[in-house]
Amino acid sequence: MGYETEYRIEHDTMGEVQVPVSCRWGAQTQRSKENFKIGGQRQPMEIIRAFSYLKEACACVNAREGKLTPEQAEAVSAACEEIRAGKWDEEFPLVVWQTGSGTQTNMNVNEVIAHLAADRNVALHPNDHVNCSQSSNDTFPSALHIAAVLTVTENVLPAARRLEESFAALEAKYPDLIRIGRTHLQDATPLKFAQEVSGWRELVAAPCRMMELSLTQLRQLAIGGTAVGTGLNAPAGFDRKVCAELSRLTGIAFEPDSNKFHALTSKDALVFAHGALKALACNLMKIANDIRFEASGPRCGMGELHIPENEPGSSIMPGKVNPTQCEAVTMVAVQVMGNDTAISVAASQGNFQLNVFLPVCAYNFMLSARLLTDAMDSFRIHCVDGITADEKQMAGNLNRSLMLVTCLTPEIGYERAAQCAKKALHDGSTLKEAVLALGYLDEAAYDILVRPEKMV
């Protein structure tokens, strides 16, 4: 036997709405919950956390401007601190697929803060007090930028740096090990394994520098623009003062966008920043592919690397183990590339004074950041940290390679060198045997010239 839900009556400008008594949201949140039963993907909690910083900063400034009492501002601050601590996560039930400005999410935050203040016997109206000097049109873009800066700074970049360190350790482990290189999936000239790993390390580091560059634009906020960018109903200097409070609360230097008509309608900074996330995803795809191909086998593949064996690989083939961490990374990379397309299309849809694709931008950006963070940590812990080189297999492939002939080009010329390589391939002989058979060098001269350690 179930229990019937108990309701209380809330009202907004459209009339009365029944809200479950256990919930701390109000009428507009309830309307959105009932009107947008789409998909089930909830607004990212990173956005809610960003809103809590923004609402607290706005309340502090509004109190100094005489638009809120100190008691009201303190109640907002206390509620926002609890929201950031995760105490009220279930009070933010709204889905991504709602109004494109994110108005209902802004009001969801406003209503929850007002109800939490009421628990402290402080009367706050969601619009008149919590939303004072603000509009959804400038708060949601601001929260989106704040959330992007925080998640890149606190999550993506640290995970990437941990992965860089793992590659640096692998690089240091094999300082002099030589392997055959490959270009176009064909044998090429030799290189040190450490040199290859240094490339993987830089494939992680380079997009991090791009991300750091993108933060400069993301730290510029739309707050203070209110409805259409004119700043109607906000006090003079509100944008600058709110950004100063945000900087104090977060430890990150936020500043007002100098042109609010740009800030409300354009998502170019987000596109640029997500482009850096996509660059990282593309590079992780390359690294994971390299590792799984070089670890292929165990007997009929390249077999030059050994990676950790984490779980059985087949339900039908006993003893099979697969490069599952590499596969997870590559799937994440594909998803991030798809997210980038969604953000790009959404950003192109700023019409007149507002872009109304903000929630889908937020959802995809935060999903990419979360996936990349988790995937890099998982890849590092369960794969990269356990990689070892099969030095015997590397040496065998190196010595069988015909591209060692490249070092003979200065001595016998390109065409003769090519003739030697083709003869060896055709006859199934070694390169040395082919060179001696054609009479281009004697054995002593060949041994002096063909030294892989001199080719790296």
Side-chain angles (χ1 to χ4, degrees), residues 137-138 141 221-232 239 256-268 350-355:
N137 297 353
D138 67 350
L221 305 183
I223 194 68
T226 64
V228 296
T230 61
L232 180 68
D239 56 352
D257 193 307
S258 60
N259 189 318
K260 302 300 189 293
F261 308 103
H262 160 263
L264 267 61
T265 196
S266 174
K267 295 280 93 49
D268 48 12
N351 302 128
F352 306 116
Q353 278 68 59
L354 189 66
N355 180 292

Side-chain angles (χ1 to χ4, degrees), residues 388-402:
T388 57
D390 189 320
E391 299 186 40
K392 183 178 178 181
Q393 181 75 354
M394 284 188 181
N397 286 338
L398 174 67
N399 293 328
R400 284 192 299 272
S401 173
L402 301 178

Side-chain angles (χ1 to χ4, degrees), residues 38 90 101 103 145 352 408 420:
I38 304 172
E90 294 308 310
S101 63
T103 297
H145 277 209
F352 306 116
L408 297 180
C420 294

Side-chain angles (χ1 to χ4, degrees), residues 404-405 407-412 431-432 435-436 439-452 454:
L404 296 178
V405 76
C407 67
L408 297 180
T409 301
E411 186 71 20
I412 66 175
L431 181 62
K432 183 176 183 178
V435 172
L436 297 181
Y440 293 141
L441 292 170
D442 59 29
E443 186 171 358
Y446 181 92
D447 290 342
I448 290 171
L449 290 170
V450 183
R451 297 178 61 185
K454 298 290 188 180

Side-chain angles (χ1 to χ4, degrees), residues 131-153:
N131 203 61
C132 183
S133 308
Q134 306 153 60
S135 164
S136 300
N137 297 353
D138 67 350
T139 58
F140 200 105
S142 297
L144 176 52
H145 277 209
I146 295 166
V149 169
L150 291 175
T151 195
V152 167
T153 302

Side-chain angles (χ1 to χ4, degrees), residues 150 183 202 291 316 400 434:
L150 291 175
T183 60
E202 183 62 17
I291 290 172
I316 189 173
R400 284 192 299 272

Side-chain angles (χ1 to χ4, degrees), residues 102-421:
T103 297
Q104 280 109 35
T105 290
N106 179 44
M107 288 308 303
N108 183 192
V109 175
N110 291 339
E111 289 176 345
V112 170
I113 290 172
H115 278 86
L116 293 177
D119 291 345
R120 296 177 173 84
N121 297 315
V122 178
L124 292 177
H125 189 281
N127 297 84
D128 293 337
H129 299 122
V130 188
N131 203 61
C132 183
S133 308
Q134 306 153 60
S135 164
S136 300
N137 297 353
D138 67 350
T139 58
F140 200 105
S142 297
L144 176 52
H145 277 209
I146 295 166
V149 169
L150 291 175
T151 195
V152 167
T153 302
E154 297 176 352
N155 301 319
V156 182
L157 287 174
R161 287 173 182 134
R162 290 190 290 269
L163 183 56
E164 277 183 66
E165 290 170 3
S166 288
F167 282 128
L170 182 60
E171 190 179 343
K173 186 176 180 180
Y174 298 98
D176 299 314
L177 179 60
I178 299 174
R179 63 174 308 161
I180 196 66
R182 295 173 178 87
T183 60
H184 302 268
L185 301 182
Q186 305 294 306
D187 301 349
T189 56
L191 76 162
K192 290 182 178 181
F193 178 52
Q195 291 172 323
E196 180 181 37
V197 177
S198 76
W200 296 342
R201 173 174 50 77
E202 183 62 17
L203 283 163
V204 178
C208 289
R209 294 193 293 272
M210 299 172 197
M211 274 182 254
E212 288 167 345
L213 181 62
S214 75
L215 295 177
T216 302
Q217 299 299 316
L218 283 176
R219 288 195 295 265
Q220 298 180 19
L221 305 183
I223 194 68
T226 64
V228 296
T230 61
L232 180 68
N233 291 351
F238 186 73
D239 56 352
R240 175 177 49 79
K241 295 170 186 175
V242 169
C243 286
E245 280 298 318
L246 278 169
S247 300
R248 180 184 65 81
L249 290 169
T250 64
I252 294 172
F254 290 101
E255 59 186 41
D257 193 307
S258 60
N259 189 318
K260 302 300 189 293
F261 308 103
H262 160 263
L264 267 61
T265 196
S266 174
K267 295 280 93 49
D268 48 12
L270 200 74
V271 170
F272 183 54
H274 196 274
L277 295 182
K278 181 179 71 170
L280 176 59
C282 292
N283 287 359
L284 290 173
M285 173 76 84
K286 181 264 193 293
I287 295 168
N289 279 338
D290 282 358
I291 290 172
R292 64 175 166 179
F293 292 151
E294 291 176 14
S296 61
R299 292 192 173 176
C300 300
M302 289 175 65
E304 294 187 355
L305 296 181
H306 297 296
I307 58 177
E309 298 182 353
N310 297 319
E311 63 276 314
S314 174
S315 61
I316 189 173
M317 293 176 279
K320 195 172 192 296
V321 179
N322 295 328
T324 51
Q325 288 295 318
C326 295
E327 291 167 5
V329 168
T330 55
M331 286 193 289
V332 164
V334 167
Q335 183 64 57
V336 173
M337 293 175 203
N339 293 349
D340 191 75
T341 298
I343 289 174
S344 299
V345 174
S348 73
Q349 298 302 304
N351 302 128
F352 306 116
Q353 278 68 59
L354 189 66
N355 180 292
V356 291
F357 285 73
L358 298 178
V360 73
C361 285
Y363 174 72
N364 282 280
F365 192 99
M366 300 309 151
L367 177 59
S368 291
R370 209 176 304 124
L371 286 174
L372 287 169
T373 299
D374 291 348
M376 285 189 289
D377 278 338
S378 180
F379 187 45
R380 171 179 56 84
I381 295 167
H382 300 294
C383 183
V384 176
D385 285 347
I387 290 175
T388 57
D390 189 320
E391 299 186 40
K392 183 178 178 181
Q393 181 75 354
M394 284 188 181
N397 286 338
L398 174 67
N399 293 328
R400 284 192 299 272
S401 173
L402 301 178
M403 287 304 99
L404 296 178
V405 76
T406 305
C407 67
L408 297 180
T409 301
E411 186 71 20
I412 66 175
Y414 183 91
E415 292 193 11
R416 284 184 174 183
Q419 185 183 1
C420 294

